[in-house]
């Protein structure tokens, strides 16, 4: 069955005006996530590093961050800390190809909206993004909502 034919995916795609910012150093992951998220109806921005994201300053108000933990240079955790220190609090979904206790602890300390371990399925991803978007709407002031 085509995943877009399921009601939850169709509803997510039809109602989304949000942006998902993907940061991953793996080109194939960036391409796959970018394509999937566009199919689901999101605006997607992709970056290969934390530094590339920070230099481009693409941070939009109605966005969540889908962020790899282990990036060359500045790690995903360090990016979260840098954004928070600058006053940008984006709902963040951390993802990693490593599923070990050290990675789990590091991810928990960063307090993301969700933690995903690669490979993850479409439902897990869309559930995490829905949770991030609910958090985003909840934290918006009435003037910006």
């Amino acid at each position: 069955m085509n995943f877009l034919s399921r009601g939850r995916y169709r509803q997510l795609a039809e109602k989304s005006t949000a942006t998902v910012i993907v940061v991953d150093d793996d080109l194939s992951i960036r391409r796959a996530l970018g394509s999937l998220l566009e199919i689901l109806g999101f605006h997607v921005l992709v970056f290969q590093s934390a530094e590339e994201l920070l230099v481009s300053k693409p941070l939009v108000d109605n966005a969540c961050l889908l962020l790899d933990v282990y990036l060359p240079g500045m790690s995903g955790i360090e990016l979260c800390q840098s954004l928070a220190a600058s006053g940008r609090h984006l709902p963040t979904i951390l993802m990693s190809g490593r599923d070990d206790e050290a990675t789990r602890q590091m991810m928990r300390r960063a307090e993301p909206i969700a933690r995903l371990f690669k490979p993850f399925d479409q439902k897990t991803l869309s559930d995490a993004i829905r949770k991030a978007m609910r958090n985003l709407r909840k934290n918006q002031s009435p003037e910006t909502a």
Side-chain angles (χ1 to χ4, degrees), residues 25-75:
D25 59 310
D26 185 316
L27 177 61
S28 62
I29 299 283
R30 286 194 311 273
R31 284 182 179 163
L33 288 172
S35 295
L36 174 62
L37 293 168
E38 286 176 354
I39 288 169
L40 292 175
F42 292 102
H43 302 282
V44 182
L45 300 172
V46 293
F47 299 93
Q48 67 181 353
S49 70
E51 293 85 358
E52 183 183 23
L53 172 79
L54 291 172
V55 168
S56 68
K57 300 179 184 179
L59 302 179
V60 293
D61 291 329
N62 192 23
C64 76
L65 190 59
L66 181 57
L67 178 60
D68 189 22
V69 171
Y70 294 104
L71 296 168
M74 179 185 277
S75 74

Side-chain angles (χ1 to χ4, degrees), residues 8-21:
R8 80 181 97 185
Y9 296 109
R10 193 174 336 114
Q11 182 181 29
L12 181 63
E14 290 170 0
K15 294 187 176 187
S16 180
T17 59
T19 298
V20 179
I21 301 168

